[in-house]
Amino acid sequence: MKTDICILGAGPGGATAALHLANAGHRCLLLDRATFPRDKVCGDALSGKVLSELRRIGEELPARLAAEPIQLPSWGIDFYAPNGRRLAVPFKPRYNPAHDQSAGHISKRLHFDNFLIEEVRRRPEIDLRENTDVARHEPLPSGGWRLLAADGQEIATCRLLLVANGAQSHFARVVGGHELEPAHHCAGLRAYYRGVQGLHPDNFIELHFIKEFLPGYLWVFPLPNGEANVGVGMLTEAVAKKKVKLRERLEEILKTHPALKDRFATAERLGPVRGFGLPLGSKRRPLSGAGYLLLGDAGSLIDPFSGEGISHAMVSGRHAADWAARALAAEDVSTGFLKGYDAAVYNRLWQELRLSRGMQRLLGYPWLFNFIANRAANNSTLAETISNMFLDLDLRERLRQPSFYLKLLLGK
């Protein structure tokens, strides 16, 4: 099959790109090796940025998602400092679950990705091919790419390839040059549980910064039907240096940590513990080349502090659709022209990625976490400031400035 635009991978990045192309009247071929619905190992949290990107696809989509039983509305984050102090950070400083629209949701990727795919299926401009495994990719002499199955059978040729096939993308590694770098890569584990005690009534997600486990962290995210997504993440560099066995540490923490052992005493694990790798956006890498664009995890765009990747994949999908259309209109899919895509993505995300990299480094100073948590517990103004940091980049910048901590020390 010959096509102008082919998208490799139908997760949030690829599906978003396809939907924006369809909205602009462009046809595309969307390939995925799985058949939807399919699972994806992830933390399953959907931030306010995800809702914003959904709204850009279709004004009604956030409300449609909120009405689905596949999700829980989430109103904030509970941070647990190394000293055990809890710091509650609402996504909105003052909120009313009975009347306000939540700023975030939690939904299994099995369901959320399928939610997007159902939108894709409604669009005649998108040719979705599931259960299609692209084993090889070859550049064409005239420009563009040939995609081949394992048996050598040609699947498609295209003028422009949007690569959105995830963290393990062979294309991103071999063609895009995104080698695994332990200092910019996170190792993670995830398991589903039922019956975890003490979850927040307003579905706050939990991040536990346990002293003995730093610079890693543990999360507990509530899910529909009384379930929870529970996992750990740590920089791959630190895992190797400290010789950490993540599966053993996760099990040990849940059984022995004072803040967690009683809550998990009668909890039931549902299925296996599954591992995954997160290529972090803590380093600026090229996102394009001759005839291709890298999206989402394939473009190493995951937030270095929170591990969030869904919204960044959707942001890159939106810009990929824009620049794919521009390239075809200009009849120019050269490396030079497509650098405009890199500029657009990083113009939107780089400041946030840079600040998150700085916050990631704070994990090396547990006393600082304890100090902030202790102060915020007794200072409502400070607590509200920290809440706003998750929505306001200028406020987040303060966390990197010594003057912020001086004012804390002086009680100002």
Side-chain angles (χ1 to χ4, degrees), residues 133-283:
D133 192 5
V134 176
R136 299 199 339 256
H137 31 72
E138 298 175 350
L140 295 170
S142 58
W145 295 88
R146 174 183 288 116
L147 306 179
L148 304 167
D151 61 3
Q153 185 82 16
E154 182 178 290
I155 297 170
T157 62
C158 62
R159 295 172 64 191
L160 187 56
L161 183 62
L162 276 54
V163 182
N165 57 349
Q168 307 303 319
S169 173
H170 179 71
F171 189 103
R173 186 172 66 254
V174 173
V175 180
H178 286 226
E179 294 290 347
L180 191 155
E181 297 182 53
H184 303 280
H185 187 273
C186 182
L189 295 177
R190 178 219 72 185
Y192 289 127
Y193 281 82
R194 179 185 290 122
V196 178
Q197 301 299 310
L199 296 174
H200 196 285
D202 294 331
N203 304 319
F204 279 36
I205 64 176
E206 300 177 26
L207 297 178
H208 295 258
F209 298 92
I210 297 165
K211 184 177 180 180
E212 298 77 19
F213 191 64
L214 292 175
Y217 65 94
L218 180 146
W219 69 79
V220 181
F221 295 173
L223 284 165
N225 304 314
E227 296 182 17
N229 181 317
V230 181
V232 289
M234 181 180 286
L235 265 183
T236 302
E237 182 180 62
V239 171
K241 183 178 179 180
K242 295 173 175 286
K243 297 181 172 60
V244 179
K245 296 180 179 179
L246 286 180
R247 290 176 189 270
E248 293 180 9
R249 290 293 284 126
L250 174 59
E251 185 175 349
E252 177 190 353
I253 290 169
L254 296 181
K255 285 183 177 179
T256 64
H257 193 272
L260 295 166
K261 62 180 182 178
D262 291 341
R263 297 178 60 193
F264 280 84
T266 59
E268 173 192 5
R269 196 180 78 203
L270 307 173
V273 178
R274 297 183 59 188
F276 59 111
L278 303 173
L280 304 176
S282 48
K283 176 181 178 180

Side-chain angles (χ1 to χ4, degrees), residues 3-6 21-22 25-29 124-127 328:
T3 184
D4 283 337
I5 303 172
C6 180
L21 284 166
H26 299 288
R27 304 186 68 84
C28 67
L29 175 64
E125 304 92 340
I126 305 171
D127 183 358
L328 294 181

